Amino acid sequence: MTEFYDKYSAALYGVILRIVRREEEAEDVLQEAMVKIWHSFPSYDASKGRLFTWVLNVSRNLAIDKIRSRQYRVSSHSQPLDDSPAERQPAVDSFRPEHIGLQELTRRLNPEQRQIVDLLYFEGYTQSEVADELNMPLGTVKTRARAAIKVLSTLIR
């Protein structure tokens, strides 16, 4: 597990931090993710995708669950934005999407697909929230997201 943590923690922390936007929360979610990965590893199926993709989805889903929780929403209202460490600091230097090729791959998507992928996977939006944000039908968001995933999966192979 130590080797696994050393290899993946920086990338996972960066994705989590982009979603929760607070260092303390990101550290907590990363710890939860590592425990969940440890306990859920027997359910990982290599035929369905790469290990990194699986652990990224586990971590991302935990981060989204965190920001949707009542406790998180209440605590975020009690802290002014100008006091938020995430507002003053850029994303951690240790997370570089270019190391695993994410930026190059998403650049190959058409602009509509790329915008949806950014909102869904890097900003933590739900498909309904993306539809509201972009003022488009939910079905269009789902279709473009599905098409983007297909393009990305062929590029990865």
Side-chain angles (χ1 to χ4, degrees):
M1 190 62 181
T2 302
E3 187 176 323
F4 177 85
Y5 182 86
D6 291 342
K7 186 172 184 174
Y8 294 108
S9 65
L12 297 176
Y13 178 79
V15 170
I16 292 167
L17 183 62
R18 286 187 68 175
I19 295 171
V20 299
R21 293 190 169 93
R22 287 193 220 148
E23 288 183 12
E24 300 83 21
E25 298 289 338
E27 291 167 2
D28 289 345
V29 172
L30 178 62
Q31 181 178 357
E32 286 177 45
M34 289 296 170
V35 170
K36 185 167 187 171
I37 290 164
W38 176 260
H39 290 294
S40 301
F41 192 74
S43 69
Y44 167 65
D45 183 0
S47 68
K48 291 184 180 178
R50 294 175 40 192
L51 177 63
F52 180 76
T53 305
W54 182 72
V55 298
L56 183 66
N57 281 330
V58 168
S59 302
R60 181 184 152 277
N61 290 342
L62 284 172
I64 291 170
D65 289 347
K66 182 65 151 185
I67 63 173
R68 288 182 181 163
S69 72
R70 178 175 166 80
Q71 179 185 10
Y72 182 87
R73 288 193 309 257
V74 168
S75 69
S76 67
H77 291 299
S78 64
Q79 181 182 15
L81 286 177
D82 47 332
D83 290 341
S84 171
E87 293 295 320
R88 293 188 306 252
Q89 296 176 340
V92 293
D93 292 333
S94 61
F95 176 66
R96 302 235 185 255
E98 63 272 11
H99 288 177
I100 54 176
L102 289 177
Q103 285 183 336
E104 289 116 26
L105 290 177
T106 58
R107 282 190 208 126
R108 293 183 181 177
L109 296 172
N110 69 42
E112 295 86 14
Q113 291 173 338
R114 184 174 183 188
Q115 184 179 34
I116 289 171
V117 167
D118 286 344
L119 291 172
L120 287 172
Y121 291 97
F122 296 113
E123 298 296 325
Y125 283 54
T126 64
Q127 290 179 334
S128 298
E129 291 168 340
V130 171
D132 291 342
E133 178 77 19
L134 300 178
N135 197 23
M136 65 175 55
L138 179 60
T140 303
V141 170
K142 290 181 178 188
T143 300
R144 289 182 183 171
R146 194 172 317 117
I149 298 300
K150 284 183 182 178
V151 170
L152 290 172
S153 70
T154 57
L155 293 173
I156 288 173
R157 294 182 188 150

